[in-house]
């Protein structure tokens, strides 16, 4: 079983430069979130193990492009 998510290259947070975290949600999606400011990407869902890694890659790619949702209220 190849679950090689560790090979994904995740850049620092595009908003604050904080540490990113690739999160998996209960066997159905991935997203990347910032451990410092709490911004995050959209969810990237998958339906089977084959799509799983692709979803993780999409989440990381989106994050690396800076397409994140800020959750800071009015700051
Ligand atoms: Zn951040």
């Amino acid at each position: 079983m190849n679950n090689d998510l560790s090979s994904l290259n995740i850049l620092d947070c595009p908003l604050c430069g904080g540490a990113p975290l690739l999160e998996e949600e209960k066997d159905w999606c991935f997203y990347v979130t910032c451990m410092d400011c709490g911004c995050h990407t959209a969810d990237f869902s998958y339906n089977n193990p084959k799509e799983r890694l692709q979803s993780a890659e999409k989440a990381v790619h989106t994050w690396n492009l800076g397409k994140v949702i800020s959750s800071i209220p009015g700051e």
Side-chain angles (χ1 to χ4, degrees):
M1 193 83 178
N2 181 16
N3 291 328
D4 194 11
L5 301 176
S6 60
S7 66
L8 295 171
N9 182 31
I10 310 178
L11 302 180
D12 289 340
C13 175
L15 298 185
C16 76
L21 185 67
L22 178 62
E23 288 267 43
E24 183 170 14
E25 197 77 59
K26 293 243 173 221
D27 289 336
W28 74 272
C29 79
F30 279 100
Y31 62 94
V32 180
T33 186
C34 173
M35 292 193 282
D36 286 341
C37 74
C39 73
H40 56 91
T41 66
D43 297 334
F44 292 88
S45 62
Y46 57 88
N47 299 306
N48 56 57
K50 200 177 171 187
E51 289 180 6
R52 184 172 172 270
L53 185 57
Q54 292 175 348
S55 293
E57 286 172 344
K58 273 188 226 165
V60 170
H61 185 62
T62 300
W63 171 269
N64 288 351
L65 288 175
K67 294 181 181 174
V68 297
I69 300 158
S70 174
S71 60
I72 302 172
E75 193 167 329

